Amino acid sequence: MEYMERAYDDAKYGHYSRRPYIDMVIPSLTDPSVAPPGKHVLSCFVQYAPYKLAEGNWDDQKEAFGDNVINTIAEYAPNIKDIIIGRQILTPLDLEREFGLTQGNIFQGELSLEQLFFLRPVAGWAYYRTPIHNLYMCGSATHPGGGIMGANGRIASQVILKEWSLTSRARWTKSSSSHSVATASKAAS
């Protein structure tokens, strides 16, 4: 916990963490087609990096940030620097530019108490509905938040199917009763 707190301290003051918290996955272990034979892809999710740097900008600091991440990993995997054949670094600014994630926030809003459950993404817009008829939303901005679990899409699809089912049933009931009234009127004439 102390390591994570120290990593966050740097970001609080506008610096990328000198000793970042790093989540790593190696997708080529389960899907070898994403890397050349005998090679692997290593993906690092790094925390913490502020959107606005106290000194300089992300375009100038990008490579130093990447080096810092590799140096941190090298403390635990000493040969990492020797086996890297390419790398891609995405800063918070890159995430905003390339993917439209405001301030590089992959969760599309903080996962804090005032933005969870029925308040996600904001009060009045929870439950996957928007103020626009038949427009729904899912993804990191919706409950239960970000990650790769897909729960947002599953829950949103359940809401949509339920509402479509109710709408279809209401239309069918209305057209059936209209038909019955018309048939009864014909029979009475």
Side-chain angles (χ1 to χ4, degrees):
M1 287 303 283
E2 186 176 322
Y3 184 96
M4 289 177 66
E5 187 174 339
R6 295 296 153 251
Y8 182 70
D9 281 345
D10 287 331
K12 274 193 307 195
Y13 302 107
H15 306 283
Y16 57 81
S17 177
R18 290 173 302 217
R19 307 236 336 127
Y21 172 80
I22 306 168
D23 277 328
M24 295 186 299
V25 295
I26 305 173
S28 51
L29 291 175
T30 55
D31 182 2
S33 71
V34 300
K39 304 294 181 190
H40 288 283
V41 172
L42 172 68
S43 177
C44 301
F45 178 74
V46 178
Q47 297 197 47
Y48 298 90
Y51 177 69
K52 292 183 179 175
L53 293 171
E55 298 170 13
N57 62 61
W58 276 115
D59 292 328
D60 296 337
Q61 295 293 319
K62 185 177 193 165
E63 292 301 320
F65 175 60
D67 291 343
N68 185 58
V69 172
I70 298 302
N71 289 336
T72 303
I73 296 169
E75 293 177 25
Y76 303 93
N79 70 332
I80 191 78
K81 292 179 185 180
D82 300 329
I83 59 175
I84 294 174
I85 58 174
R87 70 182 189 181
Q88 176 187 34
I89 304 162
L90 296 173
T91 68
L93 185 58
D94 293 323
L95 294 174
E96 183 176 73
R97 286 175 179 162
E98 293 183 37
F99 306 108
L101 297 171
T102 304
Q103 294 192 352
N105 190 323
I106 64 165
F107 299 116
Q108 301 170 346
E110 293 302 320
L111 294 173
S112 54
L113 287 177
E114 69 277 2
Q115 288 188 319
L116 291 177
F117 306 112
F118 61 91
L119 298 172
R120 189 152 190 86
V122 294
W125 281 41
Y127 310 110
Y128 311 95
R129 297 175 193 89
T130 70
I132 301 168
H133 181 68
N134 282 337
L135 179 63
Y136 298 83
M137 62 184 154
C138 68
S140 290
T142 60
H143 175 74
I148 57 171
M149 63 191 152
N152 317 63
R154 182 176 190 280
I155 299 169
S157 68
Q158 290 174 326
V159 168
I160 293 165
L161 290 172
K162 181 179 178 184
E163 290 185 4
W164 282 5
S165 173
L166 293 173
T167 303
S168 297
R169 192 173 307 135
R171 272 194 234 134
W172 183 82
T173 304
K174 184 177 179 181
S175 67
S176 295
S177 61
S178 298
H179 178 71
S180 299
V181 169
T183 305
S185 296
K186 274 187 182 178
S189 336

